[in-house]
Amino acid sequence: MTLGLARPEVRRGGTALGRWAGSGGISRTPGRDPACLPWGGASGALGLGSRLRGAQVLESRDRGDMAAPRDAEIWKDVQVEVAKKYIGYHMEKYGFQVPNVTFIHGYIEKLGEAGIKNESYDIIISNCVINLVPDKQEVLKEVYRVLKHGGELYFSDVYASLELPEEIRTHKVLWGECLGGALYWKDLAILAQKIGFCPPRLVTASLITVQNKEVERVIGNCRFVSATFRLFKLLKTEPAKRCQVIYNGGITGHKKELIFDANFTFKEGEIVEVDEETAAILKNSRFAQDFLITPIGEKLPTCGGCSALESKDVITDPFKLAEESDNMKSRCPPDVASGCCGTKKSC
């Protein structure tokens, strides 16, 4: 893993990129904000299990996320040096003979300058960093360049309900709270398609509430949501077809059920009808070995059930998903919160 790329300037501590191999009046829901994954939490949320063995993973981190003594005065790339000091400690704690993590200092939109080569990573993880970079298209272009075919960007960030006016984008408090740099959520799909990614797949979303009168005046009718998306990079092949898929249950930690995103949950042995895009991703990514994939109409082994796509209302709007999640939580008794209201983990 490479945890490093820390920006040296004014961007709320900058960016720390990590790569690893194989193993102010604004409130968000504590512990459940998808734009604030815990350190190392993205790999847990991905549910990668044994699929991480041999995989190259790049994680982008804001410098403020990187651990350091509380009384230390850490600036610029010093945090990267502090992080390096703890590699030996973690090697000993987890039984590694050689380190499986390196730290790099650089810019997330200039990965080449940090020495990151074309098609060198299977997974890239970003945690509330892209909103701090003005040129988001350049970030996604660099991510696309360094991802292998079949790889993905799994990232959490803040999105706006509309194009942000200058007053919001230049407001110091809103910038510091990761709202001033938020991308209009519909623009994500436009940028992804322009660069070559598959359409964004929404995983989780949570509304951000503003309880400061002055800030409320500045943002007006604009709303914000923290959301997790995944973007896959696939080879350009013949158009995919709708398929029937059966999850084999082979992923560690997700043997009985695999929550792929907000729209698809695959249960072991159950037939699920998927759209063309989902079929292409399952066929051409690290998930291929975990699914039996056949064209619609072809006879499949008798399974526990069948879930047809026609009965689904596919959600792409993070605000809609966040509102539905809030409504569901409000209907759940406190004692069953870990069930229907619990935090989902996706692979």
PDB file of all heavy atoms in Angstrom, residues 94-124:
ATOM      1  N   TYR A  94       1.634  -7.293  12.979  1.00  0.00           N
ATOM      2  CA  TYR A  94       0.831  -8.136  12.097  1.00  0.00           C
ATOM      3  C   TYR A  94       1.644  -9.250  11.437  1.00  0.00           C
ATOM      4  O   TYR A  94       1.148  -9.949  10.558  1.00  0.00           O
ATOM      5  CB  TYR A  94       0.143  -7.280  11.038  1.00  0.00           C
ATOM      6  CG  TYR A  94      -0.860  -6.326  11.654  1.00  0.00           C
ATOM      7  CD1 TYR A  94      -0.572  -4.970  11.788  1.00  0.00           C
ATOM      8  CD2 TYR A  94      -2.091  -6.786  12.123  1.00  0.00           C
ATOM      9  CE1 TYR A  94      -1.493  -4.097  12.371  1.00  0.00           C
ATOM     10  CE2 TYR A  94      -3.006  -5.922  12.702  1.00  0.00           C
ATOM     11  CZ  TYR A  94      -2.705  -4.579  12.825  1.00  0.00           C
ATOM     12  OH  TYR A  94      -3.610  -3.730  13.403  1.00  0.00           O
ATOM     13  N   GLY A  95       2.881  -9.431  11.847  1.00  0.00           N
ATOM     14  CA  GLY A  95       3.650 -10.583  11.407  1.00  0.00           C
ATOM     15  C   GLY A  95       4.219 -10.506  10.004  1.00  0.00           C
ATOM     16  O   GLY A  95       4.428 -11.544   9.363  1.00  0.00           O
ATOM     17  N   PHE A  96       4.513  -9.321   9.490  1.00  0.00           N
ATOM     18  CA  PHE A  96       5.100  -9.185   8.170  1.00  0.00           C
ATOM     19  C   PHE A  96       6.627  -9.212   8.272  1.00  0.00           C
ATOM     20  O   PHE A  96       7.208  -8.560   9.123  1.00  0.00           O
ATOM     21  CB  PHE A  96       4.673  -7.869   7.513  1.00  0.00           C
ATOM     22  CG  PHE A  96       3.275  -7.889   6.961  1.00  0.00           C
ATOM     23  CD1 PHE A  96       2.192  -7.514   7.751  1.00  0.00           C
ATOM     24  CD2 PHE A  96       3.038  -8.284   5.660  1.00  0.00           C
ATOM     25  CE1 PHE A  96       0.904  -7.533   7.244  1.00  0.00           C
ATOM     26  CE2 PHE A  96       1.759  -8.304   5.137  1.00  0.00           C
ATOM     27  CZ  PHE A  96       0.687  -7.933   5.937  1.00  0.00           C
ATOM     28  N   GLN A  97       7.255  -9.966   7.361  1.00  0.00           N
ATOM     29  CA  GLN A  97       8.707 -10.020   7.314  1.00  0.00           C
ATOM     30  C   GLN A  97       9.277  -8.847   6.522  1.00  0.00           C
ATOM     31  O   GLN A  97      10.381  -8.381   6.779  1.00  0.00           O
ATOM     32  CB  GLN A  97       9.165 -11.346   6.679  1.00  0.00           C
ATOM     33  CG  GLN A  97       8.732 -12.574   7.471  1.00  0.00           C
ATOM     34  CD  GLN A  97       9.256 -12.549   8.899  1.00  0.00           C
ATOM     35  OE1 GLN A  97      10.449 -12.343   9.133  1.00  0.00           O
ATOM     36  NE2 GLN A  97       8.359 -12.767   9.860  1.00  0.00           N
ATOM     37  N   VAL A  98       8.509  -8.400   5.527  1.00  0.00           N
ATOM     38  CA  VAL A  98       8.878  -7.222   4.746  1.00  0.00           C
ATOM     39  C   VAL A  98       7.657  -6.306   4.716  1.00  0.00           C
ATOM     40  O   VAL A  98       6.524  -6.764   4.809  1.00  0.00           O
ATOM     41  CB  VAL A  98       9.296  -7.600   3.302  1.00  0.00           C
ATOM     42  CG1 VAL A  98      10.573  -8.416   3.318  1.00  0.00           C
ATOM     43  CG2 VAL A  98       8.183  -8.361   2.599  1.00  0.00           C
ATOM     44  N   PRO A  99       7.860  -5.002   4.596  1.00  0.00           N
ATOM     45  CA  PRO A  99       6.706  -4.084   4.604  1.00  0.00           C
ATOM     46  C   PRO A  99       5.835  -4.253   3.366  1.00  0.00           C
ATOM     47  O   PRO A  99       6.334  -4.520   2.265  1.00  0.00           O
ATOM     48  CB  PRO A  99       7.362  -2.703   4.639  1.00  0.00           C
ATOM     49  CG  PRO A  99       8.727  -2.903   4.088  1.00  0.00           C
ATOM     50  CD  PRO A  99       9.141  -4.279   4.510  1.00  0.00           C
ATOM     51  N   ASN A 100       4.525  -4.139   3.545  1.00  0.00           N
ATOM     52  CA  ASN A 100       3.611  -4.177   2.412  1.00  0.00           C
ATOM     53  C   ASN A 100       2.988  -2.805   2.179  1.00  0.00           C
ATOM     54  O   ASN A 100       1.933  -2.674   1.572  1.00  0.00           O
ATOM     55  CB  ASN A 100       2.510  -5.221   2.630  1.00  0.00           C
ATOM     56  CG  ASN A 100       1.482  -4.768   3.654  1.00  0.00           C
ATOM     57  OD1 ASN A 100       1.796  -3.991   4.554  1.00  0.00           O
ATOM     58  ND2 ASN A 100       0.263  -5.254   3.533  1.00  0.00           N
ATOM     59  N   VAL A 101       3.646  -1.771   2.687  1.00  0.00           N
ATOM     60  CA  VAL A 101       3.147  -0.414   2.529  1.00  0.00           C
ATOM     61  C   VAL A 101       4.311   0.543   2.307  1.00  0.00           C
ATOM     62  O   VAL A 101       5.380   0.368   2.882  1.00  0.00           O
ATOM     63  CB  VAL A 101       2.323   0.019   3.766  1.00  0.00           C
ATOM     64  CG1 VAL A 101       3.163  -0.039   5.015  1.00  0.00           C
ATOM     65  CG2 VAL A 101       1.749   1.418   3.594  1.00  0.00           C
ATOM     66  N   THR A 102       4.107   1.524   1.419  1.00  0.00           N
ATOM     67  CA  THR A 102       5.090   2.586   1.223  1.00  0.00           C
ATOM     68  C   THR A 102       4.341   3.912   1.248  1.00  0.00           C
ATOM     69  O   THR A 102       3.138   3.968   1.018  1.00  0.00           O
ATOM     70  CB  THR A 102       5.828   2.453  -0.123  1.00  0.00           C
ATOM     71  OG1 THR A 102       4.860   2.438  -1.177  1.00  0.00           O
ATOM     72  CG2 THR A 102       6.656   1.192  -0.172  1.00  0.00           C
ATOM     73  N   PHE A 103       5.060   4.996   1.520  1.00  0.00           N
ATOM     74  CA  PHE A 103       4.452   6.320   1.604  1.00  0.00           C
ATOM     75  C   PHE A 103       5.071   7.243   0.568  1.00  0.00           C
ATOM     76  O   PHE A 103       6.284   7.257   0.377  1.00  0.00           O
ATOM     77  CB  PHE A 103       4.632   6.915   3.008  1.00  0.00           C
ATOM     78  CG  PHE A 103       3.855   6.178   4.070  1.00  0.00           C
ATOM     79  CD1 PHE A 103       4.377   5.057   4.679  1.00  0.00           C
ATOM     80  CD2 PHE A 103       2.601   6.631   4.444  1.00  0.00           C
ATOM     81  CE1 PHE A 103       3.666   4.381   5.654  1.00  0.00           C
ATOM     82  CE2 PHE A 103       1.880   5.959   5.409  1.00  0.00           C
ATOM     83  CZ  PHE A 103       2.400   4.833   6.019  1.00  0.00           C
ATOM     84  N   ILE A 104       4.212   8.020  -0.087  1.00  0.00           N
ATOM     85  CA  ILE A 104       4.656   8.924  -1.138  1.00  0.00           C
ATOM     86  C   ILE A 104       4.094  10.318  -0.870  1.00  0.00           C
ATOM     87  O   ILE A 104       2.967  10.462  -0.415  1.00  0.00           O
ATOM     88  CB  ILE A 104       4.156   8.458  -2.519  1.00  0.00           C
ATOM     89  CG1 ILE A 104       4.757   7.107  -2.878  1.00  0.00           C
ATOM     90  CG2 ILE A 104       4.516   9.475  -3.600  1.00  0.00           C
ATOM     91  CD1 ILE A 104       4.238   6.560  -4.174  1.00  0.00           C
ATOM     92  N   HIS A 105       4.884  11.329  -1.187  1.00  0.00           N
ATOM     93  CA  HIS A 105       4.420  12.713  -1.081  1.00  0.00           C
ATOM     94  C   HIS A 105       4.242  13.273  -2.475  1.00  0.00           C
ATOM     95  O   HIS A 105       5.108  13.135  -3.325  1.00  0.00           O
ATOM     96  CB  HIS A 105       5.443  13.549  -0.302  1.00  0.00           C
ATOM     97  CG  HIS A 105       5.050  14.983  -0.170  1.00  0.00           C
ATOM     98  ND1 HIS A 105       5.403  15.924  -1.095  1.00  0.00           N
ATOM     99  CD2 HIS A 105       4.335  15.630   0.782  1.00  0.00           C
ATOM    100  CE1 HIS A 105       4.928  17.104  -0.729  1.00  0.00           C
ATOM    101  NE2 HIS A 105       4.279  16.953   0.399  1.00  0.00           N
ATOM    102  N   GLY A 106       3.085  13.863  -2.735  1.00  0.00           N
ATOM    103  CA  GLY A 106       2.860  14.421  -4.058  1.00  0.00           C
ATOM    104  C   GLY A 106       1.458  14.967  -4.214  1.00  0.00           C
ATOM    105  O   GLY A 106       0.775  15.234  -3.233  1.00  0.00           O
ATOM    106  N   TYR A 107       1.005  15.108  -5.462  1.00  0.00           N
ATOM    107  CA  TYR A 107      -0.298  15.670  -5.782  1.00  0.00           C
ATOM    108  C   TYR A 107      -1.198  14.609  -6.397  1.00  0.00           C
ATOM    109  O   TYR A 107      -0.789  13.919  -7.334  1.00  0.00           O
ATOM    110  CB  TYR A 107      -0.158  16.832  -6.759  1.00  0.00           C
ATOM    111  CG  TYR A 107       0.593  18.020  -6.213  1.00  0.00           C
ATOM    112  CD1 TYR A 107       1.989  18.061  -6.260  1.00  0.00           C
ATOM    113  CD2 TYR A 107      -0.090  19.095  -5.652  1.00  0.00           C
ATOM    114  CE1 TYR A 107       2.679  19.154  -5.768  1.00  0.00           C
ATOM    115  CE2 TYR A 107       0.606  20.189  -5.148  1.00  0.00           C
ATOM    116  CZ  TYR A 107       1.978  20.211  -5.207  1.00  0.00           C
ATOM    117  OH  TYR A 107       2.664  21.293  -4.708  1.00  0.00           O
ATOM    118  N   ILE A 108      -2.433  14.539  -5.928  1.00  0.00           N
ATOM    119  CA  ILE A 108      -3.342  13.514  -6.432  1.00  0.00           C
ATOM    120  C   ILE A 108      -3.667  13.724  -7.907  1.00  0.00           C
ATOM    121  O   ILE A 108      -3.947  12.775  -8.634  1.00  0.00           O
ATOM    122  CB  ILE A 108      -4.637  13.474  -5.591  1.00  0.00           C
ATOM    123  CG1 ILE A 108      -5.492  12.262  -5.981  1.00  0.00           C
ATOM    124  CG2 ILE A 108      -5.421  14.766  -5.704  1.00  0.00           C
ATOM    125  CD1 ILE A 108      -6.703  12.070  -5.096  1.00  0.00           C
ATOM    126  N   GLU A 109      -3.618  14.982  -8.379  1.00  0.00           N
ATOM    127  CA  GLU A 109      -3.893  15.247  -9.788  1.00  0.00           C
ATOM    128  C   GLU A 109      -2.618  15.215 -10.633  1.00  0.00           C
ATOM    129  O   GLU A 109      -2.665  15.463 -11.843  1.00  0.00           O
ATOM    130  CB  GLU A 109      -4.616  16.592  -9.956  1.00  0.00           C
ATOM    131  CG  GLU A 109      -3.795  17.814  -9.625  1.00  0.00           C
ATOM    132  CD  GLU A 109      -3.887  18.225  -8.165  1.00  0.00           C
ATOM    133  OE1 GLU A 109      -3.848  17.336  -7.296  1.00  0.00           O
ATOM    134  OE2 GLU A 109      -3.978  19.432  -7.903  1.00  0.00           O
ATOM    135  N   LYS A 110      -1.489  14.879 -10.001  1.00  0.00           N
ATOM    136  CA  LYS A 110      -0.214  14.775 -10.712  1.00  0.00           C
ATOM    137  C   LYS A 110       0.519  13.515 -10.255  1.00  0.00           C
ATOM    138  O   LYS A 110       1.644  13.561  -9.779  1.00  0.00           O
ATOM    139  CB  LYS A 110       0.642  16.018 -10.458  1.00  0.00           C
ATOM    140  CG  LYS A 110       0.010  17.316 -10.946  1.00  0.00           C
ATOM    141  CD  LYS A 110       0.895  18.519 -10.642  1.00  0.00           C
ATOM    142  CE  LYS A 110       0.261  19.811 -11.124  1.00  0.00           C
ATOM    143  NZ  LYS A 110       1.102  20.991 -10.810  1.00  0.00           N
ATOM    144  N   LEU A 111      -0.148  12.386 -10.415  1.00  0.00           N
ATOM    145  CA  LEU A 111       0.424  11.124  -9.938  1.00  0.00           C
ATOM    146  C   LEU A 111       1.713  10.764 -10.671  1.00  0.00           C
ATOM    147  O   LEU A 111       2.592  10.119 -10.104  1.00  0.00           O
ATOM    148  CB  LEU A 111      -0.598   9.997 -10.097  1.00  0.00           C
ATOM    149  CG  LEU A 111      -1.917  10.175  -9.329  1.00  0.00           C
ATOM    150  CD1 LEU A 111      -2.846   8.999  -9.596  1.00  0.00           C
ATOM    151  CD2 LEU A 111      -1.655  10.325  -7.839  1.00  0.00           C
ATOM    152  N   GLY A 112       1.814  11.179 -11.918  1.00  0.00           N
ATOM    153  CA  GLY A 112       3.028  10.884 -12.682  1.00  0.00           C
ATOM    154  C   GLY A 112       4.254  11.509 -12.061  1.00  0.00           C
ATOM    155  O   GLY A 112       5.341  10.916 -12.054  1.00  0.00           O
ATOM    156  N   GLU A 113       4.102  12.726 -11.530  1.00  0.00           N
ATOM    157  CA  GLU A 113       5.231  13.394 -10.889  1.00  0.00           C
ATOM    158  C   GLU A 113       5.674  12.665  -9.620  1.00  0.00           C
ATOM    159  O   GLU A 113       6.805  12.832  -9.175  1.00  0.00           O
ATOM    160  CB  GLU A 113       4.854  14.840 -10.554  1.00  0.00           C
ATOM    161  CG  GLU A 113       4.654  15.720 -11.780  1.00  0.00           C
ATOM    162  CD  GLU A 113       4.348  17.149 -11.421  1.00  0.00           C
ATOM    163  OE1 GLU A 113       4.360  17.483 -10.198  1.00  0.00           O
ATOM    164  OE2 GLU A 113       4.103  17.962 -12.342  1.00  0.00           O
ATOM    165  N   ALA A 114       4.778  11.872  -9.045  1.00  0.00           N
ATOM    166  CA  ALA A 114       5.109  11.088  -7.855  1.00  0.00           C
ATOM    167  C   ALA A 114       5.676   9.718  -8.226  1.00  0.00           C
ATOM    168  O   ALA A 114       5.938   8.899  -7.347  1.00  0.00           O
ATOM    169  CB  ALA A 114       3.873  10.920  -6.974  1.00  0.00           C
ATOM    170  N   GLY A 115       5.842   9.479  -9.534  1.00  0.00           N
ATOM    171  CA  GLY A 115       6.436   8.219  -9.978  1.00  0.00           C
ATOM    172  C   GLY A 115       5.464   7.078 -10.159  1.00  0.00           C
ATOM    173  O   GLY A 115       5.875   5.917 -10.265  1.00  0.00           O
ATOM    174  N   ILE A 116       4.170   7.370 -10.186  1.00  0.00           N
ATOM    175  CA  ILE A 116       3.164   6.316 -10.330  1.00  0.00           C
ATOM    176  C   ILE A 116       2.918   6.068 -11.814  1.00  0.00           C
ATOM    177  O   ILE A 116       2.505   6.965 -12.553  1.00  0.00           O
ATOM    178  CB  ILE A 116       1.875   6.695  -9.587  1.00  0.00           C
ATOM    179  CG1 ILE A 116       2.200   6.846  -8.096  1.00  0.00           C
ATOM    180  CG2 ILE A 116       0.803   5.637  -9.792  1.00  0.00           C
ATOM    181  CD1 ILE A 116       1.033   7.268  -7.240  1.00  0.00           C
ATOM    182  N   LYS A 117       3.136   4.832 -12.248  1.00  0.00           N
ATOM    183  CA  LYS A 117       3.150   4.494 -13.665  1.00  0.00           C
ATOM    184  C   LYS A 117       1.771   4.110 -14.190  1.00  0.00           C
ATOM    185  O   LYS A 117       0.846   3.834 -13.423  1.00  0.00           O
ATOM    186  CB  LYS A 117       4.143   3.351 -13.903  1.00  0.00           C
ATOM    187  CG  LYS A 117       5.570   3.722 -13.525  1.00  0.00           C
ATOM    188  CD  LYS A 117       6.526   2.560 -13.754  1.00  0.00           C
ATOM    189  CE  LYS A 117       7.949   2.949 -13.367  1.00  0.00           C
ATOM    190  NZ  LYS A 117       8.897   1.831 -13.564  1.00  0.00           N
ATOM    191  N   ASN A 118       1.666   4.059 -15.516  1.00  0.00           N
ATOM    192  CA  ASN A 118       0.419   3.670 -16.168  1.00  0.00           C
ATOM    193  C   ASN A 118      -0.001   2.259 -15.768  1.00  0.00           C
ATOM    194  O   ASN A 118       0.846   1.358 -15.651  1.00  0.00           O
ATOM    195  CB  ASN A 118       0.576   3.710 -17.698  1.00  0.00           C
ATOM    196  CG  ASN A 118       0.803   5.102 -18.218  1.00  0.00           C
ATOM    197  OD1 ASN A 118       0.719   6.082 -17.482  1.00  0.00           O
ATOM    198  ND2 ASN A 118       1.096   5.212 -19.511  1.00  0.00           N
ATOM    199  N   GLU A 119      -1.295   2.070 -15.576  1.00  0.00           N
ATOM    200  CA  GLU A 119      -1.897   0.747 -15.347  1.00  0.00           C
ATOM    201  C   GLU A 119      -1.122  -0.059 -14.314  1.00  0.00           C
ATOM    202  O   GLU A 119      -0.773  -1.213 -14.529  1.00  0.00           O
ATOM    203  CB  GLU A 119      -1.984  -0.007 -16.676  1.00  0.00           C
ATOM    204  CG  GLU A 119      -2.857   0.702 -17.690  1.00  0.00           C
ATOM    205  CD  GLU A 119      -2.953  -0.012 -19.031  1.00  0.00           C
ATOM    206  OE1 GLU A 119      -2.513  -1.180 -19.110  1.00  0.00           O
ATOM    207  OE2 GLU A 119      -3.453   0.589 -19.985  1.00  0.00           O
ATOM    208  N   SER A 120      -0.863   0.552 -13.168  1.00  0.00           N
ATOM    209  CA  SER A 120      -0.069  -0.110 -12.133  1.00  0.00           C
ATOM    210  C   SER A 120      -0.877  -0.479 -10.883  1.00  0.00           C
ATOM    211  O   SER A 120      -0.345  -1.140 -10.003  1.00  0.00           O
ATOM    212  CB  SER A 120       1.106   0.789 -11.727  1.00  0.00           C
ATOM    213  OG  SER A 120       0.655   2.083 -11.351  1.00  0.00           O
ATOM    214  N   TYR A 121      -2.162  -0.088 -10.827  1.00  0.00           N
ATOM    215  CA  TYR A 121      -2.962  -0.364  -9.630  1.00  0.00           C
ATOM    216  C   TYR A 121      -4.286  -1.030  -9.957  1.00  0.00           C
ATOM    217  O   TYR A 121      -4.913  -0.752 -10.972  1.00  0.00           O
ATOM    218  CB  TYR A 121      -3.218   0.928  -8.842  1.00  0.00           C
ATOM    219  CG  TYR A 121      -1.974   1.367  -8.113  1.00  0.00           C
ATOM    220  CD1 TYR A 121      -1.070   2.238  -8.713  1.00  0.00           C
ATOM    221  CD2 TYR A 121      -1.670   0.870  -6.855  1.00  0.00           C
ATOM    222  CE1 TYR A 121       0.090   2.612  -8.078  1.00  0.00           C
ATOM    223  CE2 TYR A 121      -0.509   1.234  -6.214  1.00  0.00           C
ATOM    224  CZ  TYR A 121       0.363   2.098  -6.814  1.00  0.00           C
ATOM    225  OH  TYR A 121       1.529   2.451  -6.182  1.00  0.00           O
ATOM    226  N   ASP A 122      -4.690  -1.920  -9.061  1.00  0.00           N
ATOM    227  CA  ASP A 122      -5.971  -2.617  -9.190  1.00  0.00           C
ATOM    228  C   ASP A 122      -7.108  -1.813  -8.581  1.00  0.00           C
ATOM    229  O   ASP A 122      -8.237  -1.834  -9.077  1.00  0.00           O
ATOM    230  CB  ASP A 122      -5.903  -3.986  -8.486  1.00  0.00           C
ATOM    231  CG  ASP A 122      -4.828  -4.872  -9.063  1.00  0.00           C
ATOM    232  OD1 ASP A 122      -5.053  -5.438 -10.144  1.00  0.00           O
ATOM    233  OD2 ASP A 122      -3.756  -4.985  -8.432  1.00  0.00           O
ATOM    234  N   ILE A 123      -6.828  -1.129  -7.485  1.00  0.00           N
ATOM    235  CA  ILE A 123      -7.848  -0.377  -6.757  1.00  0.00           C
ATOM    236  C   ILE A 123      -7.239   0.933  -6.276  1.00  0.00           C
ATOM    237  O   ILE A 123      -6.107   0.953  -5.793  1.00  0.00           O
ATOM    238  CB  ILE A 123      -8.366  -1.160  -5.527  1.00  0.00           C
ATOM    239  CG1 ILE A 123      -8.904  -2.532  -5.947  1.00  0.00           C
ATOM    240  CG2 ILE A 123      -9.468  -0.381  -4.805  1.00  0.00           C
ATOM    241  CD1 ILE A 123      -9.081  -3.487  -4.775  1.00  0.00           C
ATOM    242  N   ILE A 124      -7.985   2.005  -6.409  1.00  0.00           N
ATOM    243  CA  ILE A 124      -7.584   3.289  -5.838  1.00  0.00           C
ATOM    244  C   ILE A 124      -8.687   3.732  -4.883  1.00  0.00           C
ATOM    245  O   ILE A 124      -9.872   3.702  -5.235  1.00  0.00           O
ATOM    246  CB  ILE A 124      -7.351   4.353  -6.921  1.00  0.00           C
ATOM    247  CG1 ILE A 124      -6.152   3.950  -7.796  1.00  0.00           C
ATOM    248  CG2 ILE A 124      -7.108   5.726  -6.298  1.00  0.00           C
ATOM    249  CD1 ILE A 124      -5.859   4.906  -8.927  1.00  0.00           C
TER     250      ILE A 124
END
